[in-house]
mmCIF file of all heavy atoms in Angstrom:
data_model
loop_
_atom_site.group_PDB
_atom_site.id
_atom_site.type_symbol
_atom_site.label_atom_id
_atom_site.label_comp_id
_atom_site.label_asym_id
_atom_site.label_seq_id
_atom_site.Cartn_x
_atom_site.Cartn_y
_atom_site.Cartn_z
ATOM 1 N N ASP M 56 2.601 -5.027 -13.504
ATOM 2 C CA ASP M 56 2.331 -5.574 -14.838
ATOM 3 C C ASP M 56 1.087 -6.457 -14.835
ATOM 4 O O ASP M 56 0.257 -6.367 -15.744
ATOM 5 C CB ASP M 56 3.546 -6.384 -15.325
ATOM 6 C CG ASP M 56 4.708 -5.474 -15.740
ATOM 7 O OD1 ASP M 56 4.478 -4.263 -15.943
ATOM 8 O OD2 ASP M 56 5.833 -5.986 -15.864
ATOM 9 N N LEU M 57 0.973 -7.309 -13.822
ATOM 10 C CA LEU M 57 -0.163 -8.252 -13.778
ATOM 11 C C LEU M 57 -1.497 -7.525 -13.604
ATOM 12 O O LEU M 57 -2.478 -7.831 -14.283
ATOM 13 C CB LEU M 57 0.042 -9.253 -12.633
ATOM 14 C CG LEU M 57 -1.025 -10.336 -12.515
ATOM 15 C CD1 LEU M 57 -0.939 -11.323 -13.689
ATOM 16 C CD2 LEU M 57 -0.882 -11.105 -11.199
ATOM 17 N N PHE M 58 -1.516 -6.556 -12.691
ATOM 18 C CA PHE M 58 -2.746 -5.813 -12.410
ATOM 19 C C PHE M 58 -3.244 -5.117 -13.682
ATOM 20 O O PHE M 58 -4.429 -5.161 -14.017
ATOM 21 C CB PHE M 58 -2.497 -4.797 -11.297
ATOM 22 C CG PHE M 58 -3.723 -4.059 -10.852
ATOM 23 C CD1 PHE M 58 -4.741 -4.717 -10.178
ATOM 24 C CD2 PHE M 58 -3.872 -2.698 -11.102
ATOM 25 C CE1 PHE M 58 -5.887 -4.039 -9.762
ATOM 26 C CE2 PHE M 58 -5.001 -2.012 -10.685
ATOM 27 C CZ PHE M 58 -6.010 -2.681 -10.014
ATOM 28 N N ARG M 59 -2.316 -4.509 -14.410
ATOM 29 C CA ARG M 59 -2.718 -3.821 -15.640
ATOM 30 C C ARG M 59 -3.120 -4.809 -16.728
ATOM 31 O O ARG M 59 -4.045 -4.554 -17.504
ATOM 32 C CB ARG M 59 -1.598 -2.893 -16.119
ATOM 33 C CG ARG M 59 -1.437 -1.691 -15.193
ATOM 34 C CD ARG M 59 -0.307 -0.800 -15.628
ATOM 35 N NE ARG M 59 0.984 -1.477 -15.531
ATOM 36 C CZ ARG M 59 2.127 -0.941 -15.911
ATOM 37 N NH1 ARG M 59 2.149 0.276 -16.412
ATOM 38 N NH2 ARG M 59 3.250 -1.622 -15.777
ATOM 39 N N ALA M 60 -2.425 -5.966 -16.781
ATOM 40 C CA ALA M 60 -2.757 -6.975 -17.798
ATOM 41 C C ALA M 60 -4.157 -7.553 -17.565
ATOM 42 O O ALA M 60 -4.828 -7.948 -18.515
ATOM 43 C CB ALA M 60 -1.713 -8.086 -17.802
ATOM 44 N N CYS M 61 -4.593 -7.591 -16.312
ATOM 45 C CA CYS M 61 -5.946 -8.115 -16.023
ATOM 46 C C CYS M 61 -7.014 -7.181 -16.576
ATOM 47 O O CYS M 61 -8.114 -7.605 -16.922
ATOM 48 C CB CYS M 61 -6.142 -8.310 -14.522
ATOM 49 S SG CYS M 61 -5.261 -9.740 -13.883
ATOM 50 N N ASP M 62 -6.689 -5.892 -16.645
ATOM 51 C CA ASP M 62 -7.556 -4.915 -17.284
ATOM 52 C C ASP M 62 -8.988 -4.950 -16.729
ATOM 53 O O ASP M 62 -9.957 -5.077 -17.470
ATOM 54 C CB ASP M 62 -7.549 -5.151 -18.812
ATOM 55 C CG ASP M 62 -8.148 -3.977 -19.578
ATOM 56 O OD1 ASP M 62 -8.187 -2.864 -19.011
ATOM 57 O OD2 ASP M 62 -8.589 -4.185 -20.726
ATOM 58 N N LEU M 63 -9.087 -4.874 -15.404
ATOM 59 C CA LEU M 63 -10.387 -4.854 -14.726
ATOM 60 C C LEU M 63 -10.537 -3.484 -14.057
ATOM 61 O O LEU M 63 -10.011 -3.260 -12.971
ATOM 62 C CB LEU M 63 -10.447 -5.955 -13.657
ATOM 63 C CG LEU M 63 -10.416 -7.406 -14.134
ATOM 64 C CD1 LEU M 63 -10.196 -8.351 -12.963
ATOM 65 C CD2 LEU M 63 -11.697 -7.761 -14.880
ATOM 66 N N PRO M 64 -11.241 -2.554 -14.698
ATOM 67 C CA PRO M 64 -11.321 -1.189 -14.175
ATOM 68 C C PRO M 64 -11.890 -1.092 -12.761
ATOM 69 O O PRO M 64 -11.576 -0.150 -12.034
ATOM 70 C CB PRO M 64 -12.232 -0.471 -15.177
ATOM 71 C CG PRO M 64 -12.200 -1.298 -16.417
ATOM 72 C CD PRO M 64 -11.945 -2.704 -15.979
ATOM 73 N N GLU M 65 -12.718 -2.066 -12.363
ATOM 74 C CA GLU M 65 -13.324 -1.997 -11.017
ATOM 75 C C GLU M 65 -12.495 -2.710 -9.950
ATOM 76 O O GLU M 65 -12.846 -2.673 -8.770
ATOM 77 C CB GLU M 65 -14.730 -2.608 -11.047
ATOM 78 C CG GLU M 65 -15.715 -1.797 -11.866
ATOM 79 C CD GLU M 65 -17.004 -2.577 -12.117
ATOM 80 O OE1 GLU M 65 -17.441 -3.317 -11.211
ATOM 81 O OE2 GLU M 65 -17.551 -2.468 -13.215
ATOM 82 N N ALA M 66 -11.430 -3.383 -10.362
ATOM 83 C CA ALA M 66 -10.593 -4.106 -9.395
ATOM 84 C C ALA M 66 -9.772 -3.120 -8.569
ATOM 85 O O ALA M 66 -9.458 -2.021 -9.022
ATOM 86 C CB ALA M 66 -9.668 -5.068 -10.119
ATOM 87 N N GLU M 67 -9.439 -3.552 -7.341
ATOM 88 C CA GLU M 67 -8.588 -2.723 -6.480
ATOM 89 C C GLU M 67 -7.288 -3.445 -6.210
ATOM 90 O O GLU M 67 -7.214 -4.663 -6.332
ATOM 91 C CB GLU M 67 -9.287 -2.489 -5.138
ATOM 92 C CG GLU M 67 -10.498 -1.585 -5.216
ATOM 93 C CD GLU M 67 -11.221 -1.576 -3.880
ATOM 94 O OE1 GLU M 67 -10.612 -1.225 -2.866
ATOM 95 O OE2 GLU M 67 -12.405 -1.962 -3.869
ATOM 96 N N ILE M 68 -6.284 -2.671 -5.803
ATOM 97 C CA ILE M 68 -5.026 -3.299 -5.389
ATOM 98 C C ILE M 68 -4.580 -2.669 -4.074
ATOM 99 O O ILE M 68 -4.734 -1.465 -3.866
ATOM 100 C CB ILE M 68 -3.928 -3.201 -6.479
ATOM 101 C CG1 ILE M 68 -2.668 -3.974 -6.041
ATOM 102 C CG2 ILE M 68 -3.620 -1.758 -6.849
ATOM 103 C CD1 ILE M 68 -1.710 -4.275 -7.182
ATOM 104 N N THR M 69 -4.095 -3.525 -3.182
ATOM 105 C CA THR M 69 -3.559 -3.029 -1.927
ATOM 106 C C THR M 69 -2.280 -3.805 -1.607
ATOM 107 O O THR M 69 -1.914 -4.722 -2.337
ATOM 108 C CB THR M 69 -4.608 -3.090 -0.800
ATOM 109 O OG1 THR M 69 -4.094 -2.439 0.354
ATOM 110 C CG2 THR M 69 -4.973 -4.526 -0.449
ATOM 111 N N PHE M 70 -1.622 -3.422 -0.531
ATOM 112 C CA PHE M 70 -0.271 -3.918 -0.277
ATOM 113 C C PHE M 70 -0.089 -4.398 1.154
ATOM 114 O O PHE M 70 -0.662 -3.844 2.088
ATOM 115 C CB PHE M 70 0.745 -2.808 -0.580
ATOM 116 C CG PHE M 70 0.630 -2.296 -1.987
ATOM 117 C CD1 PHE M 70 -0.293 -1.310 -2.309
ATOM 118 C CD2 PHE M 70 1.390 -2.844 -3.006
ATOM 119 C CE1 PHE M 70 -0.443 -0.857 -3.620
ATOM 120 C CE2 PHE M 70 1.252 -2.413 -4.326
ATOM 121 C CZ PHE M 70 0.329 -1.409 -4.629
ATOM 122 N N ILE M 71 0.725 -5.436 1.286
ATOM 123 C CA ILE M 71 1.055 -5.951 2.607
ATOM 124 C C ILE M 71 2.553 -6.239 2.559
ATOM 125 O O ILE M 71 3.102 -6.504 1.492
ATOM 126 C CB ILE M 71 0.197 -7.196 2.927
ATOM 127 C CG1 ILE M 71 0.259 -7.583 4.394
ATOM 128 C CG2 ILE M 71 0.543 -8.369 2.034
ATOM 129 C CD1 ILE M 71 -0.847 -8.561 4.815
ATOM 130 N N ARG M 72 3.193 -6.183 3.697
ATOM 131 C CA ARG M 72 4.636 -6.386 3.644
ATOM 132 C C ARG M 72 5.123 -7.425 4.636
ATOM 133 O O ARG M 72 4.800 -7.371 5.811
ATOM 134 C CB ARG M 72 5.357 -5.058 3.899
ATOM 135 C CG ARG M 72 6.836 -5.196 3.760
ATOM 136 C CD ARG M 72 7.550 -3.869 3.640
ATOM 137 N NE ARG M 72 8.969 -4.148 3.614
ATOM 138 C CZ ARG M 72 9.909 -3.325 4.017
ATOM 139 N NH1 ARG M 72 9.577 -2.126 4.460
ATOM 140 N NH2 ARG M 72 11.170 -3.675 3.976
ATOM 141 N N PHE M 73 5.892 -8.390 4.101
ATOM 142 C CA PHE M 73 6.497 -9.430 4.925
ATOM 143 C C PHE M 73 7.995 -9.464 4.652
ATOM 144 O O PHE M 73 8.451 -9.049 3.604
ATOM 145 C CB PHE M 73 5.934 -10.807 4.557
ATOM 146 C CG PHE M 73 4.553 -11.055 5.057
ATOM 147 C CD1 PHE M 73 3.458 -10.865 4.238
ATOM 148 C CD2 PHE M 73 4.343 -11.491 6.345
ATOM 149 C CE1 PHE M 73 2.175 -11.106 4.695
ATOM 150 C CE2 PHE M 73 3.058 -11.732 6.814
ATOM 151 C CZ PHE M 73 1.983 -11.545 5.987
ATOM 152 N N LYS M 74 8.713 -10.023 5.583
ATOM 153 C CA LYS M 74 10.147 -10.181 5.362
ATOM 154 C C LYS M 74 10.585 -11.516 5.963
ATOM 155 O O LYS M 74 10.293 -11.804 7.106
ATOM 156 C CB LYS M 74 10.891 -9.042 6.062
ATOM 157 C CG LYS M 74 12.305 -8.844 5.602
ATOM 158 C CD LYS M 74 12.866 -7.561 6.215
ATOM 159 C CE LYS M 74 14.179 -7.149 5.574
ATOM 160 N NZ LYS M 74 15.298 -7.935 5.903
ATOM 161 N N SER M 75 11.216 -12.358 5.140
ATOM 162 C CA SER M 75 11.692 -13.638 5.670
ATOM 163 C C SER M 75 13.094 -13.977 5.192
ATOM 164 O O SER M 75 13.740 -14.869 5.710
ATOM 165 C CB SER M 75 10.763 -14.779 5.257
ATOM 166 O OG SER M 75 10.936 -15.064 3.882
ATOM 167 N N TYR M 76 13.534 -13.246 4.166
ATOM 168 C CA TYR M 76 14.805 -13.608 3.541
ATOM 169 C C TYR M 76 15.964 -12.767 4.033
ATOM 170 O O TYR M 76 15.848 -11.574 4.233
ATOM 171 C CB TYR M 76 14.704 -13.425 2.016
ATOM 172 C CG TYR M 76 14.767 -14.730 1.263
ATOM 173 C CD1 TYR M 76 13.802 -15.691 1.456
ATOM 174 C CD2 TYR M 76 15.794 -15.004 0.361
ATOM 175 C CE1 TYR M 76 13.853 -16.892 0.765
ATOM 176 C CE2 TYR M 76 15.852 -16.196 -0.334
ATOM 177 C CZ TYR M 76 14.873 -17.143 -0.128
ATOM 178 O OH TYR M 76 14.932 -18.318 -0.816
ATOM 179 N N GLU M 77 17.085 -13.421 4.219
ATOM 180 C CA GLU M 77 18.329 -12.698 4.448
ATOM 181 C C GLU M 77 19.362 -13.310 3.539
ATOM 182 O O GLU M 77 19.540 -14.520 3.536
ATOM 183 C CB GLU M 77 18.751 -12.805 5.909
ATOM 184 C CG GLU M 77 18.555 -11.479 6.648
ATOM 185 C CD GLU M 77 18.495 -11.638 8.150
ATOM 186 O OE1 GLU M 77 19.398 -12.296 8.677
ATOM 187 O OE2 GLU M 77 17.544 -11.131 8.758
ATOM 188 N N GLY M 78 20.046 -12.474 2.751
ATOM 189 C CA GLY M 78 21.011 -13.013 1.791
ATOM 190 C C GLY M 78 20.287 -13.883 0.791
ATOM 191 O O GLY M 78 19.286 -13.478 0.223
ATOM 192 N N THR M 79 20.766 -15.112 0.597
ATOM 193 C CA THR M 79 20.181 -15.970 -0.438
ATOM 194 C C THR M 79 19.343 -17.116 0.120
ATOM 195 O O THR M 79 19.027 -18.052 -0.574
ATOM 196 C CB THR M 79 21.283 -16.560 -1.346
ATOM 197 O OG1 THR M 79 22.165 -17.335 -0.528
ATOM 198 C CG2 THR M 79 22.058 -15.469 -2.060
ATOM 199 N N SER M 80 18.974 -17.074 1.396
ATOM 200 C CA SER M 80 18.095 -18.131 1.896
ATOM 201 C C SER M 80 17.074 -17.619 2.907
ATOM 202 O O SER M 80 17.287 -16.602 3.566
ATOM 203 C CB SER M 80 18.918 -19.262 2.526
ATOM 204 O OG SER M 80 19.622 -18.749 3.619
ATOM 205 N N SER M 81 15.978 -18.363 3.009
ATOM 206 C CA SER M 81 14.888 -17.972 3.893
ATOM 207 C C SER M 81 15.288 -18.187 5.345
ATOM 208 O O SER M 81 15.934 -19.172 5.685
ATOM 209 C CB SER M 81 13.653 -18.817 3.560
ATOM 210 O OG SER M 81 12.606 -18.484 4.421
ATOM 211 N N THR M 82 14.902 -17.256 6.204
ATOM 212 C CA THR M 82 15.214 -17.412 7.625
ATOM 213 C C THR M 82 14.184 -18.308 8.298
ATOM 214 O O THR M 82 14.378 -18.765 9.425
ATOM 215 C CB THR M 82 15.182 -16.046 8.360
ATOM 216 O OG1 THR M 82 13.882 -15.486 8.195
ATOM 217 C CG2 THR M 82 16.213 -15.087 7.799
#
Side-chain angles (χ1 to χ4, degrees):
D56 286 344
L57 183 69
F58 185 68
R59 290 178 295 177
C61 286
D62 194 21
L63 294 168
E65 293 168 37
E67 290 172 58
I68 185 163
T69 187
F70 303 85
I71 193 165
R72 184 165 176 207
F73 285 97
K74 197 172 192 287
S75 73
Y76 247 62
E77 252 160 50
T79 60
S80 62
S81 178
T82 59

